[in-house]
Amino acid sequence: MQELFKAAVERGASDIHIKAGDFMRARVHGELQPLTQQKLTVDQVKGIALQLIPFQEDKDNFDKLLDYDCSWGIPGVGRFRVNIMKQRGSPMIVLRAIPIEIPSVEDLGLPPIINKIAAADRGMILVTGVTGSGKSSTMAAMINWINRNKQVHVVTLENPIEFLHRDNKSSITQRDIGTDTDSFDSGLRSVLRQDPDVILIGEMRDKITIETALKAAETGHLVISTLHTKNAVQTLSRIIAVFEPSEQEMIRVRLSESLQAVISQRLVARRTGGRVAAMEVMLVTSTIRDCIRDHERMEEVGDLIEEGREHYGSQSFDQHLMELVKDGTVDFEIAKAAANNPADFDLKMNMFGDPRSQRAGDAPVADEMSGLMGD
């Protein structure tokens, strides 16, 4: 089993699927490929699952487990985020590969502005995107920058812990939900008593988490977290909609004062194989703060992101996708399909000449995401 996992990681697999009645499969460059020639039995999948579960009590109650999260590692290969579930009454396992080495912004080929965002002393930074878009890797790269450049205390609340950070200039405390603290709620309630400078929350799941994160940002801490939203405007709307109508005006004010940036990302296929992150980066300027406070001006945010590219370093998805097409990293049709507004993207690209005539350039090695970017 370990040799199979090692081979999958060496091929650049981001996920491994293990299901009774099917081949073992690996997601390589976004596509599921078989790893085995024979289909797995229920007993084989159960046997693998029991090797991955860390606690004897959970192993003893395996048949009662419906959804179970943990982490697992192979020395010299890497760590995996593990989800064990039932499907049609039989066990299934999905493992997300996590590299041993903590990636940097440069390793991941992300815009340099991400390092500047990580340098913030306080406020809230949100990294958003669908499952599998690389949010965890981007947050790890930001913590990596902080760890190499600032003398601060970083506390993470994760379910489960993914990247393992070693103390450098910073002291990093990583707490696993279910092992080191009962829940996100209890972990967040106690985190402010642990003298943190930076707080990483694996996911803002509900009203309580959002409220506590806002409170931490308001009291002088830097809070980094994620949401499953596709762009900055949807992120703002989603946070506000969690609260009752009577609370929303105050939440708009609090959010406008605390939010520093929203980084939204999606992975797109590179011309030379693998995937690269297309990113929307919203830096919260004074004008955008005004728009957050006034719901009638929220529609202006998208234009303000594009207008702020030269002066602030912000960028929309379409601006970044245009750049990826023009430098030969991504095919026009792939970029158009990923754009917020494909028709508008087509029109803008044609203003710079026929995008279909773009030649593939030498894409930088750092743009290769398949082996580095996880959820």
Side-chain angles (χ1 to χ4, degrees), residues 121-286:
D121 290 326
R122 62 189 61 84
M124 181 183 291
I125 299 167
L126 298 177
V127 182
T128 80
V130 300
T131 299
S133 59
K135 299 186 296 297
S136 295
S137 296
T138 297
M139 292 199 301
M142 295 172 75
I143 297 299
N144 187 17
W145 186 92
I146 292 169
N147 193 21
R148 289 186 286 111
N149 292 278
K150 302 181 76 172
Q151 293 177 304
V152 296
H153 182 205
V154 180
V155 179
T156 77
L157 295 168
E158 304 173 74
N159 182 27
I161 292 171
E162 298 187 20
F163 293 91
L164 294 178
H165 295 270
R166 297 178 180 89
D167 297 337
N168 191 343
K169 281 195 172 181
S170 296
S171 172
I172 302 185
T173 301
Q174 295 185 262
R175 307 194 72 198
D176 182 68
I177 305 302
T179 302
D180 302 316
T181 183
D182 289 334
S183 65
F184 274 109
D185 292 347
S186 60
L188 277 169
R189 282 196 299 270
S190 62
V191 72
L192 295 181
R193 299 192 294 271
Q194 294 157 7
D195 189 32
D197 299 289
V198 180
I199 303 167
L200 184 143
I201 305 168
E203 183 183 346
M204 295 209 304
R205 301 183 174 208
D206 50 33
K207 179 180 175 180
I208 294 174
T209 312
I210 292 171
E211 242 178 341
T212 309
L214 272 172
K215 179 182 176 183
E218 289 165 345
T219 52
H221 304 84
L222 179 64
V223 178
I224 303 173
S225 190
T226 72
L227 280 173
H228 291 285
T229 48
K230 66 180 183 180
N231 56 40
V233 174
Q234 188 185 84
T235 300
L236 297 170
S237 299
R238 179 75 58 84
I239 291 173
I240 294 164
V242 166
F243 294 85
E244 297 296 326
S246 60
E247 301 173 288
Q248 289 181 2
E249 184 176 351
M250 180 53 67
I251 288 301
R252 285 181 177 277
V253 173
R254 294 176 66 189
L255 192 59
S256 71
E257 293 173 348
S258 298
L259 192 62
Q260 294 288 344
V262 177
I263 302 162
S264 303
Q265 59 189 74
R266 56 192 69 155
L267 298 183
V268 293
R270 292 180 61 216
R271 295 185 71 159
T272 54
R275 293 182 291 173
V276 62
M279 301 191 104
E280 176 179 272
V281 181
M282 182 186 80
L283 296 168
V284 183
T285 63
S286 57

